[in-house]
Amino acid sequence: MAEKREIKWDKLDNTAHLFPVIAGEGMSNVYRISVILKEEVQQELLQQALEKVLPWFDIFRVRMRYGVFWYYFETNQKPAPEVKEEYRYPCQFISPNRNRNYLFRVNFYKNRINLEVFHVLTDGMGGITFLKELTYQYLRLAHPPLREKMGDGLCSDTSLNREDSYLKNYKKSHKKGYKTERAYHVKGEKLKPSELGVMHGLMPIRELKKACGHYQVSINEYLVAAFLWSIYQECLHGMPSRQPITSCVPVNLRPYFDSITMKNFFVIVSAVFHPQKESYSFDEVTEIVAESLRGQINRENLENLFAYNVSNEKNFILRAVPLFIKNIAMRYVYHTSALANTTTVTNIGNIQVREEYRDYIEGFRAFLSMSEGQNVKGTICSYQDTLVFTITSNLADVSVQRGFFRRLSEDGIPVKIETNGVYDE
């Protein structure tokens, strides 16, 4: 009982400082990762699984508090959040005063388990780790023979590391990390305030690789280029623009710096296509985007990007500034940098599960909520031989989505479309 009463506190990682400042009902900074099972989800067992798994993950078992100078985490002693059947649109704001003060939620719909996470806790890699352990625990409860075979603990390769890898790998740098040139923004009639349109495109990785081979680019480069191409064609109609079409592309830093942290550890690079003449071909756009990304995704540049942010956090004078003043400054900086991006395309990567659980799992989905200036976003994840590109949008028009999947079809990639029903109404 003594251990249960112990309250620990923890700092937010370097990236996380921004999220509580800018988050609210209109911009939740919540992402969703879902697992699709081959059977209907049983609510009671999922609740039991969450109650079993949560105490292992200190990074999720927290509430957020604010001090004089910084926000911080403290151990949340309340019971695990209540697992509910999904009843509203995804990625809505997680109020600190509801949900038993937890900063994530778990719900389900038919055979799908959804994990929604306020980005202040962790990035997509941390979310996947938690969701996989939750799923394994659920399947063991639902299938006693599986539990007898696998035991009842965490997988041996699951990391519970909570270091701030930004600080650990920080080297002094004076370069400013991010450009702030205003980008082209996709606009149009918006859906209702609480609505989020979700469109999944499922495609075989084999055919996708063939198309990438034709253009001599990686899967990530190809899909980012196709997304920017669809904005160029559907919104600018192939015409020149004074402003570039720019996509944030988050890069997972763990492989570059030998990190296994569960906290946020990523930076943003930008794929930039500036249409300065008429009628670029898709080949040209793909080459421009690939070159743009390749020039940035190397250890030295990635180190410079987060070093600039960490240097601000370590600055003695800035550290002594009260939190409410820091918040004003961070909102201003965020607003300026947000205008420099048209969209975001993030790649969660290939999700691996333990062999013993594969027969029960059909696939995964992942997607992002909207943010300032970005009314349409893309998220990539894959499982076994299928890749899913999910487009989220708060716009009623689906021209960008249609243009993107049409581009893939023209390159010989068969795409199966699923939506959350917003566009059928």
Side-chain angles (χ1 to χ4, degrees), residues 15-291:
T15 294
H17 287 302
L18 176 66
F19 295 119
V21 178
I22 62 174
E25 295 289 348
M27 189 167 64
S28 68
N29 285 277
V30 170
Y31 64 84
R32 172 184 284 195
I33 304 176
S34 304
V35 58
I36 316 296
L37 303 181
K38 296 180 181 178
E39 59 194 50
E40 294 268 319
V41 175
Q42 301 176 58
Q43 183 173 357
E44 300 81 8
L45 295 185
L46 184 56
Q47 183 72 54
Q48 290 176 36
L50 179 58
E51 290 167 1
K52 173 74 173 178
V53 167
L54 182 58
W56 293 333
F57 286 89
D58 286 344
I59 197 165
F60 280 83
R61 195 165 55 100
V62 294
R63 59 186 295 182
M64 191 164 56
R65 309 300 294 260
Y66 57 91
V68 177
F69 301 109
W70 297 107
Y71 291 94
Y72 65 95
F73 293 130
E74 121 181 333
T75 304
N76 189 341
Q77 294 183 296
K78 293 187 177 181
E82 185 182 352
V83 171
K84 298 178 181 177
E85 186 171 11
E86 187 172 16
Y87 65 95
R88 59 181 179 176
Y89 291 99
C91 295
Q92 294 194 25
F93 180 62
I94 300 176
S95 171
N97 300 320
R98 302 176 202 145
N99 198 46
R100 298 175 180 168
N101 290 335
Y102 287 98
L103 302 172
F104 72 95
R105 65 170 71 96
V106 174
N107 58 43
F108 69 97
Y109 179 72
K110 294 184 178 178
N111 62 331
R112 186 180 70 228
I113 299 173
N114 306 312
L115 172 67
E116 296 191 340
V117 182
F118 183 22
H119 222 315
V120 72
L121 289 181
T122 182
D123 54 23
M125 296 306 296
I128 288 169
T129 300
F130 185 77
L131 178 61
K132 286 201 295 187
E133 286 295 349
L134 176 64
T135 304
Y136 295 163
Q137 182 65 41
Y138 171 82
L139 290 171
R140 291 196 296 265
L141 290 171
H143 302 277
L146 188 60
R147 188 176 188 177
E148 289 175 20
K149 179 181 179 182
M150 300 303 298
D152 210 23
L154 283 175
C155 291
S156 58
D157 58 350
T158 293
S159 171
L160 299 177
N161 185 288
R162 298 165 64 200
E163 73 174 19
D164 186 334
S165 290
Y166 294 108
L167 290 175
K168 181 180 179 183
N169 294 283
Y170 167 71
K171 292 180 182 176
K172 197 169 184 179
S173 170
H174 298 288
K175 294 181 181 179
K176 184 175 179 182
Y178 298 97
K179 297 178 182 178
T180 52
E181 179 188 4
R182 188 183 178 95
Y184 175 80
H185 291 154
V186 180
K187 297 178 181 177
E189 179 190 348
K190 290 200 172 183
L191 299 168
K192 295 173 186 175
S194 64
E195 289 184 338
L196 182 67
V198 182
M199 190 175 292
H200 306 289
L202 287 72
M203 62 200 78
I205 293 174
R206 185 176 177 180
E207 275 71 18
L208 178 60
K209 283 182 174 178
K210 284 181 186 175
C212 296
H214 172 75
Y215 296 102
Q216 296 185 310
V217 293
S218 70
I219 287 177
N220 209 46
E221 291 164 349
Y222 172 80
L223 291 172
V224 172
F227 203 55
L228 297 191
W229 166 263
S230 69
I231 293 171
Y232 169 60
Q233 288 293 309
E234 301 300 326
C235 302
L236 291 172
H237 308 291
M239 299 297 289
S241 170
R242 286 179 298 172
Q243 297 160 334
I245 305 172
T246 305
S247 176
C248 293
V249 179
V251 177
N252 174 23
L253 293 172
R254 292 169 183 83
Y256 295 90
F257 297 93
D258 196 27
S259 169
I260 56 169
T261 186
M262 275 281 287
K263 288 191 173 186
N264 287 297
F265 195 39
F266 70 97
V267 293
I268 305 288
V269 300
S270 295
V272 181
F273 164 50
H274 197 164
Q276 296 175 314
K277 63 174 187 177
E278 289 188 28
S279 302
Y280 285 81
S281 67
F282 181 59
D283 290 72
E284 288 176 295
V285 173
T286 304
E287 186 178 346
I288 290 167
V289 168
E291 189 177 332

